[in-house]
Amino acid sequence: AGFGMMGKQGGLVKDLQEYRGQSFSIGGDVQAYTLATLLRHYNPDIVGASVGAHDVEVCWGYLCPSPHDPVKDRLNSAQTGAMMYDLVNSLYSQVDYIVDELKKMERIDMRKDWKVLTLFVGANELCLRCGEIHVQPTSPDVYEDYFRKVLTRLRDEVPHLYVNVVQLFNVSESYEVSLRSKACRNIHRDFFVECSCAFLNTSEAAARRQSMNEATVAFNQRLEKVVHEFAMNRSDEFAAVIQPAFRDGTAERFPLDFISSLDCFHPSLVAHQAMAKLMWNNMLTPSNAKRSTFDFQDPVICPQQNSTFPTY
């Protein structure tokens, strides 16, 4: 959703913003470096990228009280704090929003035009893993079930759809990165609730972060399992592709400026730009050659006239 990526802006109202137009996968601001603007470079007719910034659209556990802002969000249905459950089960889910907005867009032929959707969900389940705020932790079985429901709805309701299924990285690594900064250590001491499982400073902290890491592996395996199921039922109108670009990143590979100075947790603008490049390169790479770590020295892949987005 782009929450807090610009860091501290001077005042609570300015700080609690989602910078939708700079979001790594679908931001469409002028001169933004995102997956959407890279696609638009090669096809100026692409529509649906989100623009600008607005107050945070928040989910808390299984509750998502904030409405979308179609003027700025466009086809960006992400909401800060959302979980896989919220994509299909909330009163007006993120999938509901995408389907409705696609049908409204006059420049989109719902039946014939190809669409690209990026699904990157699970970090909030990991942050609530320790049950500190009385939310039942999401098991891998439940995560898998909701993910299957999400892909089923998308396949059945959105023709000609390519889905980037982005695997999770170890969210607990943000704790290790934040230790390099005294300011971040102070933030997490006073504001640990944002990801209590990673940042609570107790005698059980290391074991809790290990529990998050184990759940990350399990969630990623379930993503692969469900994507494989859909791949076995080949379709000319739907493809879900595992994108492991961030999966094996470790704290020592993350620069400190990759986390927002606002909360020392959410990705910064620099991180969003790096994530966009990694996603773009992996989309143009066959499955057996995709990267699963951050290598910031990699050049951007420039597609040729016969290039494709492999689905195998």
PDB file of all heavy atoms in Angstrom, residues 32-51:
ATOM      1  N   ALA A  32       7.880   7.967 -11.361  1.00  0.00           N
ATOM      2  CA  ALA A  32       8.014   6.885 -10.381  1.00  0.00           C
ATOM      3  C   ALA A  32       8.717   5.699 -11.023  1.00  0.00           C
ATOM      4  O   ALA A  32       8.583   5.460 -12.231  1.00  0.00           O
ATOM      5  CB  ALA A  32       6.643   6.470  -9.860  1.00  0.00           C
ATOM      6  N   TYR A  33       9.462   4.962 -10.208  1.00  0.00           N
ATOM      7  CA  TYR A  33      10.162   3.765 -10.691  1.00  0.00           C
ATOM      8  C   TYR A  33       9.455   2.555 -10.101  1.00  0.00           C
ATOM      9  O   TYR A  33       9.729   2.150  -8.970  1.00  0.00           O
ATOM     10  CB  TYR A  33      11.630   3.803 -10.272  1.00  0.00           C
ATOM     11  CG  TYR A  33      12.488   2.753 -10.948  1.00  0.00           C
ATOM     12  CD1 TYR A  33      13.169   3.044 -12.118  1.00  0.00           C
ATOM     13  CD2 TYR A  33      12.608   1.478 -10.411  1.00  0.00           C
ATOM     14  CE1 TYR A  33      13.961   2.086 -12.744  1.00  0.00           C
ATOM     15  CE2 TYR A  33      13.390   0.516 -11.030  1.00  0.00           C
ATOM     16  CZ  TYR A  33      14.066   0.826 -12.184  1.00  0.00           C
ATOM     17  OH  TYR A  33      14.838  -0.127 -12.806  1.00  0.00           O
ATOM     18  N   THR A  34       8.523   1.998 -10.855  1.00  0.00           N
ATOM     19  CA  THR A  34       7.695   0.901 -10.372  1.00  0.00           C
ATOM     20  C   THR A  34       7.499  -0.124 -11.477  1.00  0.00           C
ATOM     21  O   THR A  34       7.827   0.120 -12.639  1.00  0.00           O
ATOM     22  CB  THR A  34       6.309   1.409  -9.931  1.00  0.00           C
ATOM     23  OG1 THR A  34       5.558   1.793 -11.097  1.00  0.00           O
ATOM     24  CG2 THR A  34       6.413   2.600  -8.981  1.00  0.00           C
ATOM     25  N   LEU A  35       6.940  -1.250 -11.106  1.00  0.00           N
ATOM     26  CA  LEU A  35       6.616  -2.266 -12.104  1.00  0.00           C
ATOM     27  C   LEU A  35       5.635  -1.706 -13.128  1.00  0.00           C
ATOM     28  O   LEU A  35       5.757  -1.958 -14.338  1.00  0.00           O
ATOM     29  CB  LEU A  35       6.032  -3.492 -11.408  1.00  0.00           C
ATOM     30  CG  LEU A  35       5.760  -4.737 -12.254  1.00  0.00           C
ATOM     31  CD1 LEU A  35       7.002  -5.210 -12.965  1.00  0.00           C
ATOM     32  CD2 LEU A  35       5.194  -5.845 -11.365  1.00  0.00           C
ATOM     33  N   ALA A  36       4.663  -0.945 -12.664  1.00  0.00           N
ATOM     34  CA  ALA A  36       3.657  -0.382 -13.567  1.00  0.00           C
ATOM     35  C   ALA A  36       4.266   0.598 -14.564  1.00  0.00           C
ATOM     36  O   ALA A  36       3.910   0.599 -15.754  1.00  0.00           O
ATOM     37  CB  ALA A  36       2.550   0.298 -12.763  1.00  0.00           C
ATOM     38  N   THR A  37       5.192   1.449 -14.099  1.00  0.00           N
ATOM     39  CA  THR A  37       5.772   2.423 -15.025  1.00  0.00           C
ATOM     40  C   THR A  37       6.759   1.755 -15.982  1.00  0.00           C
ATOM     41  O   THR A  37       6.921   2.214 -17.127  1.00  0.00           O
ATOM     42  CB  THR A  37       6.465   3.571 -14.267  1.00  0.00           C
ATOM     43  OG1 THR A  37       7.490   3.052 -13.407  1.00  0.00           O
ATOM     44  CG2 THR A  37       5.452   4.344 -13.432  1.00  0.00           C
ATOM     45  N   LEU A  38       7.409   0.673 -15.554  1.00  0.00           N
ATOM     46  CA  LEU A  38       8.250  -0.082 -16.480  1.00  0.00           C
ATOM     47  C   LEU A  38       7.395  -0.707 -17.585  1.00  0.00           C
ATOM     48  O   LEU A  38       7.755  -0.673 -18.761  1.00  0.00           O
ATOM     49  CB  LEU A  38       9.023  -1.162 -15.720  1.00  0.00           C
ATOM     50  CG  LEU A  38      10.203  -0.660 -14.874  1.00  0.00           C
ATOM     51  CD1 LEU A  38      10.645  -1.721 -13.874  1.00  0.00           C
ATOM     52  CD2 LEU A  38      11.378  -0.259 -15.774  1.00  0.00           C
ATOM     53  N   LEU A  39       6.261  -1.275 -17.208  1.00  0.00           N
ATOM     54  CA  LEU A  39       5.343  -1.824 -18.208  1.00  0.00           C
ATOM     55  C   LEU A  39       4.841  -0.726 -19.136  1.00  0.00           C
ATOM     56  O   LEU A  39       4.752  -0.910 -20.357  1.00  0.00           O
ATOM     57  CB  LEU A  39       4.165  -2.509 -17.516  1.00  0.00           C
ATOM     58  CG  LEU A  39       4.433  -3.856 -16.859  1.00  0.00           C
ATOM     59  CD1 LEU A  39       3.295  -4.233 -15.914  1.00  0.00           C
ATOM     60  CD2 LEU A  39       4.616  -4.948 -17.915  1.00  0.00           C
ATOM     61  N   ARG A  40       4.523   0.418 -18.554  1.00  0.00           N
ATOM     62  CA  ARG A  40       3.980   1.526 -19.343  1.00  0.00           C
ATOM     63  C   ARG A  40       5.017   2.095 -20.315  1.00  0.00           C
ATOM     64  O   ARG A  40       4.664   2.658 -21.363  1.00  0.00           O
ATOM     65  CB  ARG A  40       3.457   2.618 -18.410  1.00  0.00           C
ATOM     66  CG  ARG A  40       2.556   3.643 -19.076  1.00  0.00           C
ATOM     67  CD  ARG A  40       1.814   4.451 -18.029  1.00  0.00           C
ATOM     68  NE  ARG A  40       2.724   5.201 -17.180  1.00  0.00           N
ATOM     69  CZ  ARG A  40       2.368   5.724 -15.996  1.00  0.00           C
ATOM     70  NH1 ARG A  40       1.138   5.558 -15.536  1.00  0.00           N
ATOM     71  NH2 ARG A  40       3.241   6.409 -15.288  1.00  0.00           N
ATOM     72  N   HIS A  41       6.292   1.945 -19.981  1.00  0.00           N
ATOM     73  CA  HIS A  41       7.357   2.398 -20.889  1.00  0.00           C
ATOM     74  C   HIS A  41       7.266   1.660 -22.219  1.00  0.00           C
ATOM     75  O   HIS A  41       7.535   2.241 -23.284  1.00  0.00           O
ATOM     76  CB  HIS A  41       8.719   2.160 -20.244  1.00  0.00           C
ATOM     77  CG  HIS A  41       9.879   2.489 -21.139  1.00  0.00           C
ATOM     78  ND1 HIS A  41      10.283   3.779 -21.383  1.00  0.00           N
ATOM     79  CD2 HIS A  41      10.719   1.685 -21.857  1.00  0.00           C
ATOM     80  CE1 HIS A  41      11.317   3.766 -22.213  1.00  0.00           C
ATOM     81  NE2 HIS A  41      11.610   2.509 -22.516  1.00  0.00           N
ATOM     82  N   TYR A  42       6.893   0.383 -22.160  1.00  0.00           N
ATOM     83  CA  TYR A  42       6.798  -0.422 -23.377  1.00  0.00           C
ATOM     84  C   TYR A  42       5.384  -0.452 -23.953  1.00  0.00           C
ATOM     85  O   TYR A  42       5.200  -0.835 -25.110  1.00  0.00           O
ATOM     86  CB  TYR A  42       7.273  -1.852 -23.088  1.00  0.00           C
ATOM     87  CG  TYR A  42       8.750  -1.910 -22.785  1.00  0.00           C
ATOM     88  CD1 TYR A  42       9.211  -1.903 -21.466  1.00  0.00           C
ATOM     89  CD2 TYR A  42       9.692  -1.920 -23.809  1.00  0.00           C
ATOM     90  CE1 TYR A  42      10.572  -1.913 -21.184  1.00  0.00           C
ATOM     91  CE2 TYR A  42      11.047  -1.933 -23.543  1.00  0.00           C
ATOM     92  CZ  TYR A  42      11.485  -1.927 -22.227  1.00  0.00           C
ATOM     93  OH  TYR A  42      12.824  -1.926 -21.956  1.00  0.00           O
ATOM     94  N   ASN A  43       4.406  -0.071 -23.160  1.00  0.00           N
ATOM     95  CA  ASN A  43       3.021  -0.013 -23.643  1.00  0.00           C
ATOM     96  C   ASN A  43       2.323   1.179 -22.988  1.00  0.00           C
ATOM     97  O   ASN A  43       1.747   1.052 -21.906  1.00  0.00           O
ATOM     98  CB  ASN A  43       2.273  -1.299 -23.318  1.00  0.00           C
ATOM     99  CG  ASN A  43       0.847  -1.292 -23.852  1.00  0.00           C
ATOM    100  OD1 ASN A  43       0.397  -0.306 -24.437  1.00  0.00           O
ATOM    101  ND2 ASN A  43       0.130  -2.381 -23.652  1.00  0.00           N
ATOM    102  N   PRO A  44       2.368   2.346 -23.641  1.00  0.00           N
ATOM    103  CA  PRO A  44       1.780   3.560 -23.047  1.00  0.00           C
ATOM    104  C   PRO A  44       0.269   3.472 -22.826  1.00  0.00           C
ATOM    105  O   PRO A  44      -0.290   4.333 -22.131  1.00  0.00           O
ATOM    106  CB  PRO A  44       2.103   4.640 -24.097  1.00  0.00           C
ATOM    107  CG  PRO A  44       3.245   4.096 -24.882  1.00  0.00           C
ATOM    108  CD  PRO A  44       3.044   2.611 -24.921  1.00  0.00           C
ATOM    109  N   ASP A  45      -0.380   2.461 -23.385  1.00  0.00           N
ATOM    110  CA  ASP A  45      -1.836   2.336 -23.229  1.00  0.00           C
ATOM    111  C   ASP A  45      -2.252   1.668 -21.920  1.00  0.00           C
ATOM    112  O   ASP A  45      -3.442   1.556 -21.632  1.00  0.00           O
ATOM    113  CB  ASP A  45      -2.428   1.533 -24.397  1.00  0.00           C
ATOM    114  CG  ASP A  45      -2.301   2.266 -25.726  1.00  0.00           C
ATOM    115  OD1 ASP A  45      -2.311   3.516 -25.712  1.00  0.00           O
ATOM    116  OD2 ASP A  45      -2.191   1.605 -26.774  1.00  0.00           O
ATOM    117  N   ILE A  46      -1.280   1.226 -21.139  1.00  0.00           N
ATOM    118  CA  ILE A  46      -1.614   0.556 -19.878  1.00  0.00           C
ATOM    119  C   ILE A  46      -2.299   1.523 -18.917  1.00  0.00           C
ATOM    120  O   ILE A  46      -1.887   2.677 -18.769  1.00  0.00           O
ATOM    121  CB  ILE A  46      -0.345  -0.041 -19.239  1.00  0.00           C
ATOM    122  CG1 ILE A  46       0.055  -1.317 -19.985  1.00  0.00           C
ATOM    123  CG2 ILE A  46      -0.543  -0.340 -17.756  1.00  0.00           C
ATOM    124  CD1 ILE A  46       1.325  -1.949 -19.488  1.00  0.00           C
ATOM    125  N   VAL A  47      -3.356   1.051 -18.276  1.00  0.00           N
ATOM    126  CA  VAL A  47      -4.115   1.877 -17.333  1.00  0.00           C
ATOM    127  C   VAL A  47      -4.271   1.133 -16.006  1.00  0.00           C
ATOM    128  O   VAL A  47      -4.010  -0.055 -15.909  1.00  0.00           O
ATOM    129  CB  VAL A  47      -5.519   2.227 -17.884  1.00  0.00           C
ATOM    130  CG1 VAL A  47      -5.399   3.068 -19.141  1.00  0.00           C
ATOM    131  CG2 VAL A  47      -6.330   0.960 -18.158  1.00  0.00           C
ATOM    132  N   GLY A  48      -4.697   1.864 -14.988  1.00  0.00           N
ATOM    133  CA  GLY A  48      -5.014   1.256 -13.701  1.00  0.00           C
ATOM    134  C   GLY A  48      -4.026   1.522 -12.602  1.00  0.00           C
ATOM    135  O   GLY A  48      -4.296   1.185 -11.434  1.00  0.00           O
ATOM    136  N   ALA A  49      -2.862   2.131 -12.910  1.00  0.00           N
ATOM    137  CA  ALA A  49      -1.855   2.381 -11.878  1.00  0.00           C
ATOM    138  C   ALA A  49      -2.348   3.456 -10.909  1.00  0.00           C
ATOM    139  O   ALA A  49      -2.969   4.442 -11.310  1.00  0.00           O
ATOM    140  CB  ALA A  49      -0.534   2.801 -12.511  1.00  0.00           C
ATOM    141  N   SER A  50      -2.053   3.275  -9.633  1.00  0.00           N
ATOM    142  CA  SER A  50      -2.481   4.230  -8.609  1.00  0.00           C
ATOM    143  C   SER A  50      -1.593   5.467  -8.635  1.00  0.00           C
ATOM    144  O   SER A  50      -0.449   5.433  -9.098  1.00  0.00           O
ATOM    145  CB  SER A  50      -2.452   3.575  -7.228  1.00  0.00           C
ATOM    146  OG  SER A  50      -1.211   2.933  -6.993  1.00  0.00           O
ATOM    147  N   VAL A  51      -2.133   6.575  -8.108  1.00  0.00           N
ATOM    148  CA  VAL A  51      -1.414   7.851  -8.160  1.00  0.00           C
ATOM    149  C   VAL A  51      -1.518   8.570  -6.818  1.00  0.00           C
ATOM    150  O   VAL A  51      -2.452   8.367  -6.046  1.00  0.00           O
ATOM    151  CB  VAL A  51      -1.973   8.770  -9.268  1.00  0.00           C
ATOM    152  CG1 VAL A  51      -1.723   8.178 -10.650  1.00  0.00           C
ATOM    153  CG2 VAL A  51      -3.466   9.041  -9.067  1.00  0.00           C
TER     154      VAL A  51
END
